Amino acid sequence: MPNSLNPRHAVYAGSFDPVSLGHQDIITRGARMFDRLTVGVGINPEKRPLFTPQERVDLLQRVLKPFPNVEVACFEGLAVDFLRRRQAAVMLRGLRTLSDIEAEFTMTLANRALAQDIETVFLMASEKYSHISSSLIKQVAMFGIGTDDNHDPLESFVPREVITAVRAKFQR
Ligand code: ADP
């Protein structure tokens, strides 16, 4: 019998490069469903992220302030191993599109083969955020310039606490 995992503790893993309004929505809903939620910032050596792992953690920490039952940590390697280390029994995922479903289906089956005691739970993205992805945020930051001092187009994609950090990455 594998050591027992907590069914009231979920992990929401991803790259969070950077945390978006869509991620924030899944975190808000997940924090209501579970006693404890850990946001796992995955370090993938094959990817070249915009933000370092520590920067991504710092941005998430700002966004997570209102949630006493949510914490954040970095991990390398397989997400299921990270869940085991944290003793979490639930993998929380967000679903945006049909292509997300296809990729998530394959990943869930692989994770189940690796860890039968871990269950994946999907939350459907809210329709107002289902178009948001990290790559879209980077494109908006690169090409979308605010029309006046009070409005930045990034406001529709990332939490307010994240805008300055994204803008700073694209300053020449
Ligand atoms: P991205 O695909 O934008 O780079 P991540 O790899 O960090 O995001 O995604 C981590 C998890 O969050 C995945 O389950 C992904 O489907 C989900 N997710 C990403 N963006 C959104 C969104 N806008 N709404 C809901 N879930 C999302």
Side-chain angles (χ1 to χ4, degrees):
M1 179 82 187
N3 71 344
S4 71
L5 304 176
N6 178 358
R8 302 293 315 144
H9 182 184
V11 165
Y12 179 38
S15 45
F16 304 102
D17 186 39
V19 56
S20 71
L21 288 175
H23 294 133
Q24 187 182 37
D25 181 56
I26 298 290
I27 291 167
T28 306
R29 292 156 62 194
R32 277 192 229 122
M33 291 170 64
F34 296 96
D35 292 344
R36 207 175 148 197
L37 180 66
T38 299
V39 179
V41 175
I43 302 172
N44 182 348
E46 282 164 22
K47 280 194 188 166
R48 290 196 56 223
L50 181 63
F51 291 95
T52 66
Q54 191 54 50
E55 286 172 333
R56 285 179 268 158
V57 167
D58 290 346
L59 292 175
L60 273 158
Q61 252 155 3
R62 290 187 217 168
V63 171
L64 300 182
K65 266 200 189 121
F67 306 101
N69 61 335
V70 185
E71 62 211 272
V72 57
C74 285
F75 72 96
E76 261 178 286
L78 296 175
V80 287
D81 291 336
F82 178 62
L83 266 81
R84 261 190 212 300
R85 287 199 294 278
R86 311 292 289 201
Q87 294 181 320
V90 179
M91 176 96 76
L92 182 66
R93 306 286 298 168
L95 281 180
R96 289 165 289 193
T97 56
L98 274 180
S99 57
D100 261 5
I101 293 177
E102 210 175 335
E104 295 287 341
F105 191 80
T106 313
M107 203 192 301
T108 302
L109 291 179
N111 284 337
R112 192 173 292 163
L114 292 164
Q116 272 111 50
D117 49 350
I118 289 175
E119 203 61 71
T120 303
V121 169
F122 296 102
L123 291 183
M124 210 175 102
S126 303
E127 56 185 20
K128 58 184 175 186
Y129 302 133
S130 62
H131 58 289
I132 300 178
S133 65
S134 298
S135 51
L136 185 63
I137 291 166
K138 287 163 198 162
Q139 282 179 14
V140 172
M142 217 178 307
F143 303 114
I145 297 157
T147 46
D148 56 50
D149 286 349
N150 302 322
H151 179 73
D152 186 312
L154 282 173
E155 276 173 25
S156 311
F157 298 89
V158 295
R160 276 181 180 281
E161 301 89 324
V162 175
I163 292 180
T164 317
V166 177
R167 283 276 166 233
K169 287 279 176 191
F170 288 90
Q171 254 159 22
R172 284 157 193 247

